[in-house]
């Protein structure tokens, strides 16, 4: 039977699916761990002003809870405090809160807006994971750390500003944010971790700051709308599969000294140009980078290197149109050498390559 109850701050109503209303006793200062976890019929609750802490999993699984007011005195929102409150549409976090715990709002699938106060310095792991209705969020300037998977699968999130004070962006932090079109990484970040922007399929542009030294594996995998990217000279390592399936990527600027992992550019079918300090990588470099396994794409890269003036450094040169000339060291023109062991590149393919010069 549906019923109401008085909460005194001790004990809990764990998994009480018939509980519809709660009254708080005078003097309650903390909501215990799992106090209302699984109370799936609870639709609204007003937390009294004296409460300073919301414990771990306090409202976990309150799937009918549509609104809640958190009082100004609260300083801590515990791990999984509102996890899977799937009917919750909006929430305001008071100014006194300093951190948002791990999984705090994970699975709040109806949450469209949230206000994070300036007092917050850390967003915990998976804090907003799978909030697919969340379209925008403002991260306050005081935040220095965004935890692992903090916004993973927030598929409606179109824009987000990461403040300059952030120095750490956790693994898979924005993975699967398929509506995100642009993002700027602040200068304080030195590592772009594992799968941070993986499957951000609407991402068209991103700026990597000069202080980044490492791009983790699968970091931009599946960013199928990303057309161009400049990797600063500070980057020394790019992990395996980092740009895999970036099928719209046509321009990449990076240093030839960077260490690149296996299959880093696998299935980047539009990628035909790369440059670094006006020096192009050799074919041996490209093969080492494993840009693509398909011979046709390697042919295009080889051809572009030739046209960029590095013909003498290319092994197994592809042939081109007979009229194409190259410069000799004395400045005179000479016909390109034809490699009999390879098929000629079709003229239409040369025209495609020339468009990117």
């Amino acid at each position: 039977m549906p019923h109401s109850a008085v909460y005194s701050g001790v004990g809990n109503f764990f998994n009480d699916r018939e509980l519809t209303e709660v009254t708080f006793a005078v003097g309650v200062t903390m909501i215990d761990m799992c106090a209302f976890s699984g109370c799936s019929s609870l639709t609204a609750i007003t937390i009294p002003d004296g409460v300073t802490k919301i414990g771990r999993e306090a409202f976990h699984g309150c799937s009918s809870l549509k609104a809640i007011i958190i009082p100004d005195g609260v300083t801590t929102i515990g791990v999984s405090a509102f996890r899977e409150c799937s009917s919750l549409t909006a929430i305001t976090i008071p100014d006194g809160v300093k951190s948002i715990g791990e999984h705090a709002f994970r699975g709040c699938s109806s949450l469209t807006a949230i206000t994070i106060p300036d007092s917050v310095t850390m967003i915990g792991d998976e804090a907003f994971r799978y909030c697919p209705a969340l379209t925008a969020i403002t991260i306050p300037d005081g935040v220095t750390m965004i935890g692992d998977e903090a916004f993973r699968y927030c598929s409606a999130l179109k824009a987000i500003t990461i403040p300059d004070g952030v120095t750490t962006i956790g693994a898979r932090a924005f993975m699967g944010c398929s509506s995100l079109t642009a993002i700027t990484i602040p200068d304080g970040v030195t590592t772009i971790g594992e799968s941070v922007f993986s499957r951000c399929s609407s991402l068209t542009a991103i700026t990597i700051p000069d202080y980044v030294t490492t791009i983790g594996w699968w970091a931009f995998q599946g960013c199928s709308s990303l057309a161009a990217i400049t990797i600063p000279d500070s980057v020394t390592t790019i992990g395996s599969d980092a740009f895999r399936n970036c099928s719209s990527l046509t321009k990449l600027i990076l240093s030839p000294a960077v260490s690149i992992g296996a299959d880093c550019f696998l299935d980047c079918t539009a990628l035909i140009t790369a440059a670094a300090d006006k020096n192009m990588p050799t074919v041996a470099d490209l093969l080492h980078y494993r840009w693509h396994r398909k011979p046709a794409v390697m042919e295009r890269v080889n051809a572009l290197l030739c046209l960029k003036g590095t013909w003498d450094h290319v092994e197994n040169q592809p042939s081109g149109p007979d009229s194409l000339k190259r410069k000799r060291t004395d400045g005179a023109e000479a016909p390109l050498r034809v490699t009999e062991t390879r098929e000629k590149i079709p003229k239409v393919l040369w025209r495609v390559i020339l468009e990117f010069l």
Side-chain angles (χ1 to χ4, degrees):
M1 292 287 292
H3 66 93
S4 61
V6 176
Y7 180 70
S8 63
V10 179
N12 60 61
F13 299 92
F14 176 76
N15 217 28
D16 187 341
R17 294 185 174 89
E18 304 298 327
L19 184 66
T20 58
E21 185 179 356
V22 174
T23 302
F24 288 85
V26 176
V28 171
T29 59
M30 183 182 78
I31 299 177
D32 260 349
M33 179 176 70
C34 298
F36 301 99
S37 181
C39 295
S40 55
S41 297
L42 194 62
T43 58
I45 194 166
T46 300
I47 301 173
D49 291 339
V51 171
T52 59
K53 181 179 179 180
I54 299 174
R56 182 187 185 106
E57 299 186 56
F59 297 95
H60 180 193
C62 292
S63 55
S64 298
L65 190 64
K66 296 180 179 179
I68 193 166
I69 297 174
I70 302 174
D72 291 339
V74 171
T75 58
T76 302
I77 297 177
V79 173
S80 298
F82 297 96
R83 181 173 176 173
E84 295 175 9
C85 291
S86 55
S87 297
L88 193 64
T89 58
I91 195 165
T92 299
I93 300 173
D95 290 337
V97 173
K98 295 181 179 179
S99 64
I100 299 174
E102 298 175 7
H103 311 274
F105 298 95
R106 175 178 172 173
C108 292
S109 54
S110 298
L111 190 65
T112 58
I114 191 164
T115 301
I116 301 176
D118 291 339
S119 56
V120 171
T121 59
M122 184 190 76
I123 298 174
D125 295 350
E126 302 187 42
F128 297 96
R129 177 177 173 172
Y130 193 65
C131 292
L134 192 64
T135 57
I137 192 167
T138 300
I139 300 175
D141 291 339
V143 170
T144 59
M145 175 183 173
I146 298 173
D148 294 351
E149 304 188 32
F151 297 95
R152 183 174 181 176
Y153 296 137
C154 291
S155 55
L157 192 63
K158 295 181 179 180
I160 193 166
T161 300
I162 302 176
D164 291 338
V166 170
T167 57
T168 302
I169 301 175
R172 301 173 297 280
F174 297 96
M175 181 178 181
C177 292
S178 54
S179 297
L180 193 64
T181 58
I183 196 163
T184 299
I185 302 171
D187 289 341
V189 173
T190 58
T191 298
I192 298 175
E194 165 203 335
S195 301
V196 170
F197 300 102
S198 177
R199 302 178 191 172
C200 292
S201 55
S202 297
L203 192 65
T204 58
I206 192 164
T207 300
I208 299 176
D210 290 336
Y211 301 99
V212 170
T213 59
T214 302
I215 297 175
W217 58 284
W218 294 80
F220 297 94
Q221 179 269 337
C223 293
S224 54
S225 298
L226 190 64
I229 193 164
T230 299
I231 298 174
D233 291 343
S234 58
V235 173
T236 58
T237 303
I238 301 177
S240 60
D241 300 281
F243 293 93
R244 182 172 184 162
N245 297 118
C246 291
S247 54
S248 297
L249 192 62
T250 57
K251 187 174 183 180
L252 173 72
I253 299 177
L254 78 165
S255 168
V258 67
S259 173
I260 298 183
D263 296 333
C264 188
F265 299 96
L266 183 65
D267 292 327
C268 293
T269 52
L271 183 62
I272 64 171
T273 181
D277 291 334
K278 300 180 182 179
N279 294 317
M280 300 297 296
T282 65
V283 170
D285 291 331
L286 294 174
L287 290 171
H288 173 69
Y289 295 168
R290 300 186 187 180
W291 290 56
H292 203 291
R293 289 174 177 166
K294 295 181 180 179
V297 176
M298 288 304 301
E299 290 280 5
R300 282 187 285 176
V301 175
N302 288 358
L304 185 64
L305 294 179
C306 297
L307 291 171
K308 281 289 190 182
T310 59
W311 181 268
D312 291 334
H313 302 289
V314 176
E315 300 172 359
N316 300 321
Q317 303 99 325
S319 60
D322 293 338
S323 60
L324 199 61
K325 304 290 183 180
R326 68 180 176 91
K327 292 285 186 180
R328 293 195 315 212
T329 54
D330 59 3
E333 288 186 344
L336 290 176
R337 289 172 290 176
V338 176
T339 303
E340 295 179 355
T341 57
R342 288 200 175 194
E343 296 180 359
K344 288 187 176 182
I345 295 178
K347 290 183 179 181
V348 64
L349 185 54
W350 284 95
R351 286 198 294 270
V352 171
I353 293 169
L354 287 168
E355 290 178 2
F356 290 89
L357 293 178

